[in-house]
């Protein structure tokens, strides 16, 4: 109960922090993050990126998706699987034809022919959203556990995207790390890169 209430309070606080960043500052930060991420992915010869599609005041990934597709990198976007709290990933060729779910988030259509699995690729990378990240790679999500389940089985490396206002020293010290939380390998913000693991 204490962990749950700690995360709930911190989510409210960090959502306020993220939403308070001026739009012009967000745009500038997101462009810097995009360039850093593209540089990382090019250096690793990544062949597929499993990425969230930005919503609201999240770090923008739409420009990243377009850039990746233009360079011939496979891109997969998630669909929430009703009742299972899991993500189904679908390969996309663009951002047209997306369907808005009940949370207001755009998703790829539920087309079995476009289902994508990380194991189908040699060097897959996951780009992960969060309300906050810390210096050890732990993230504060939205409470559904979708990405923790996904990351627990993901065979590639994972990169959390956040702006500097969302980067905390330690989520554990905030009482916001639980036994099922899975850290990312790296965190990218506009001020640099936190390298957590391989």
């Amino acid at each position: 109960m204490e962990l749950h209430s700690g995360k709930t309070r911190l989510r409210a606080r960090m959502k306020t922090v993220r939403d308070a960043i001026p739009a012009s500052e967000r745009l500038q930060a997101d462009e810097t993050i995009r360039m850093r991420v593209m540089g990382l992915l090019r250096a690793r010869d990544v062949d597929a990126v499993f990425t969230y599609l930005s919503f609201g005041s999240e770090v923008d990934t739409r420009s990243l998706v377009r850039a990746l597709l233009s360079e011939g990198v496979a891109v997969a976007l998630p669909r929430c699987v009703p009742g299972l709290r899991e993500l189904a990933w679908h390969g996309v060729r663009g951002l047209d034809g997306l369907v808005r779910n009940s949370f207001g988030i755009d998703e790829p259509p539920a087309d079995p022919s476009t289902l994508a699995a990380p194991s189908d690729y040699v060097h897959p990378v996951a780009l992960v959203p969060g309300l906050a990240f810390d210096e050890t790679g732990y993230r504060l999500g939205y409470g559904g556990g979708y990405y923790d389940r996904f990351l627990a089985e993901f065979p590639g490396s994972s990169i959390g995207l956040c702006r500097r206002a969302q980067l905390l020293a330690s989520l554990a010290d905030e009482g916001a790390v639980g036994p099922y939380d899975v850290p990312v390998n790296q965190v990218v913000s506009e001020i640099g890169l936190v390298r957590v693991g391989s």
Side-chain angles (χ1 to χ4, degrees):
M1 191 62 144
E2 192 174 325
L3 173 65
H4 177 74
S5 61
K7 283 189 172 184
T8 300
R9 287 193 299 271
L10 189 58
R11 281 189 189 104
R13 188 178 103 205
M14 295 311 299
K15 190 172 189 311
T16 299
V17 166
R18 189 179 70 183
D19 290 347
I21 301 170
S24 58
E25 190 177 321
R26 288 203 305 259
L27 284 171
Q28 188 174 15
D30 291 1
E31 176 59 15
T32 301
I33 291 168
R34 183 189 69 80
M35 291 188 297
R36 288 185 190 282
V37 171
M38 288 300 294
L40 276 174
L41 299 181
R42 288 182 187 123
R44 294 182 187 175
D45 199 25
V46 167
D47 57 351
V49 175
F50 289 71
T51 180
Y52 72 97
L53 192 61
S54 49
F55 170 74
S57 59
E58 289 179 332
V59 172
D60 174 60
T61 57
R62 291 171 187 263
S63 58
L64 261 170
V65 168
R66 294 186 186 100
L68 290 164
L69 290 170
S70 72
E71 295 192 10
V73 178
V75 173
L77 299 177
R79 278 184 63 84
C80 294
V81 179
L84 294 180
R85 292 194 174 219
E86 292 180 358
L87 298 173
W89 294 86
H90 292 262
V92 297
R93 295 182 179 178
L95 297 178
D96 295 328
L98 300 177
V99 179
R100 188 151 294 177
N101 69 16
S102 60
F103 300 108
I105 300 169
D106 291 334
E107 298 179 326
D111 179 354
S113 70
T114 63
L115 282 169
S119 58
D120 293 338
Y121 299 94
V122 179
H123 300 295
V125 164
L127 301 182
V128 183
L131 286 165
F133 288 87
D134 73 11
E135 295 173 0
T136 61
Y138 281 102
R139 58 183 283 276
L140 180 70
Y142 299 98
Y146 290 92
Y147 276 91
D148 290 315
R149 290 180 183 86
F150 169 64
L151 291 173
E153 303 293 332
F154 187 69
S157 62
S158 54
I159 302 173
L161 306 184
C162 74
R163 304 182 191 97
R164 62 180 171 180
Q166 300 163 252
L167 188 58
L168 304 177
S170 171
L171 283 169
D173 289 349
E174 298 274 357
V177 174
Y180 300 108
D181 293 334
V182 179
V184 294
N185 300 120
Q186 296 175 309
V187 180
V188 174
S189 75
E190 73 273 29
I191 59 170
L193 167 71
V194 176
R195 190 178 299 276
V196 180
S198 59

